[in-house]
Amino acid sequence: MCGFVGFVAFVGQEPPHPEWLARMNDTIQHRGPDDDGVVVDGSVGFAFRRLAILDLTSAGHQPMRSPSQNLLMVFNGEIYNYVELREELSALGHRFTSSGDAAVLLAAYQQWGNRCVDHLAGMYAFAIYDAPRGTVFLARDRFGEKPLFLHRSSRGLLFASELKAIRASSLWSGRLHEARFAELLLRQRVDVLPETEETFLADVVQLPAAHWLEISLDGREVQQCYWTLPIETVQPSRDPIEDFSRLFRESMRIRMRADVPVGVMLSGGMDSTSIACEMSRLVGDPGTRSAPLHAFCYEAEEFDEKEQISDTVRETGIVVHRHRPTAQEVWADLPAALWHHDEPLHSPAVLLGYQLYRLASRQGVRVILGGQGADETIGGYSNLFVHMLVSHLLGGRLDRVRSEMRSLGITWPGGERDIARQAINLVRAHLLRGVSSYRRISAQRQLASAPGWSVVEPGFGGMVSPIVRGSGRQDLLSELRREATSAPLPCYLRVEDRNAMAHSVESRLPFLDHALAEYCVALPPQWQMRDGWNKYVLREAMRGKIPESVRARRSKLGFAVPVKSWLRGPLSEMVKGVVLDGPLRTSGWVDARGLERLVSGHLSGTSDHSDALFNMVQISHILTMHAAGWARPSSAVG
């Protein structure tokens, strides 16, 4: 887990200067405080910051050259199956002086070229300069856990692990991508914006997840998608519970490989509890860290999960560190978190994760396992129940539909009638998916009803285009694929990476092992959601393996933040000061009177505008920091 900067100067252009690369590299020191390096090889230059997790010796130094000296690499992330790959590559004649995964990745490229990504199980972004071919090969992991940003100019291709490095390059125009901000102000949450190559900076894009890019020194590019989630349901040939358990245990086993302490982000939910309990069972296995294991938990009076967490602690013996901040303590970290993230946050809950990773770092824990990805691949969100009904309806399984509606009607707001209405609407959308005009009109209606129109200036909002869904399929598998690859998971993965790396901690996500995710997404819907229970295969696989108080619990909280009451109470004066007197008001993006009505409506208790107000506060901070050259806040240190 590290960070890098690179530049490919096109033929006839000035090659990169080491000091220029080092200056950009210094902006991401938090990603790698243990070591750094800069190498310029002709018209290609790489700079690297290292966070030492595997092979803590100097043999893991980057930029790394191949034994033949004709390949040069920078690599951010972890190749979890590096032990198995090293054995395979050794049998093919490769020799290794490092015990880590970076040398294995470099040998994999030397052996298989651009097909090396097919052999990798991990999270990664990397760049390899192939001098004999005169190309630079860049790749990003299947789900996009690791970032890779690109800026193209007439001089060449600049790439980096964080946007702030590109900001510091002197090549970037300095302009914000205003249409992206307009879309956020209209739709009011970052995690509902579909994933694209675009960022919040003009002329800066990201390499899409599961893609590689090869660029020649003359500027020619080839970009290719190398992996997708399944598009069809697969009937299991064996017991899904046994298969899931085997895949999950293997994912956990290889993600506990580390030469530093390992911990877990623990809530009272099933995902993190499953991870914590499996960690305790794996302690002592060859290649994994020994006890004690550490857990980091958020506590709040409004969202009490102490019983479930205590049950897990008793069962595992894990050392728990509890975090219970005040509203003021959470909000004080907003400028620093925004500096690290470079882009708007989807929720104040991001700040809790930011603080928990800081707590982990101060406890000396350098690797943290988390539960991200389970909801989007196994079926964790309540809206997915309706898509499950659609799958059964389209499959003609009416008996299953009736049974599921009875189970859901007990707890569903609005009861069976509301469930039926939603399912019928989705079936209609599914059947009309081939009619492009229907998809276009639906997208236009959704944009017209976006909640931010009461505040956003019409001209500014007019920059936003309707989001027209591609396939328009509404069955459960299609919705899981959308949530895992479009929204909300890509947003949550950005949060995970930036929060962890802000404090020089590595985040690992066992549920996003690609073999496990492929299996779960393609399961028949009754293994994902059944009888009103979400994540059914996980619940059954964890029977007797996690506390029953967690396994048999229906409610889902996560890191819930009482932001509505905070913004009306202890943070009300801050809201009025930042929103009504800050740079957003004079930006030309919002209507001043609409802004005043929105603030007064929330503070008086007549309406809830928590999402909108949070976005306006953070956008005001972003505009202020942007005008100041994105200088590092003092609170972003340590």
Side-chain angles (χ1 to χ4, degrees), residues 486-530:
S486 180
L489 184 60
C491 173
Y492 299 160
L493 296 181
R494 286 197 294 277
V495 165
E496 196 73 21
D497 172 79
R498 308 312 187 272
N499 272 350
M501 294 311 301
H503 305 293
S504 307
V505 176
E506 175 170 298
S507 169
R508 298 179 176 182
L509 308 176
F511 288 105
L512 289 185
D513 180 88
H514 71 275
L516 177 63
E518 288 169 1
Y519 182 80
C520 292
V521 167
L523 281 171
Q526 63 268 25
W527 284 103
Q528 293 147 342
M529 314 188 92
R530 186 189 301 187

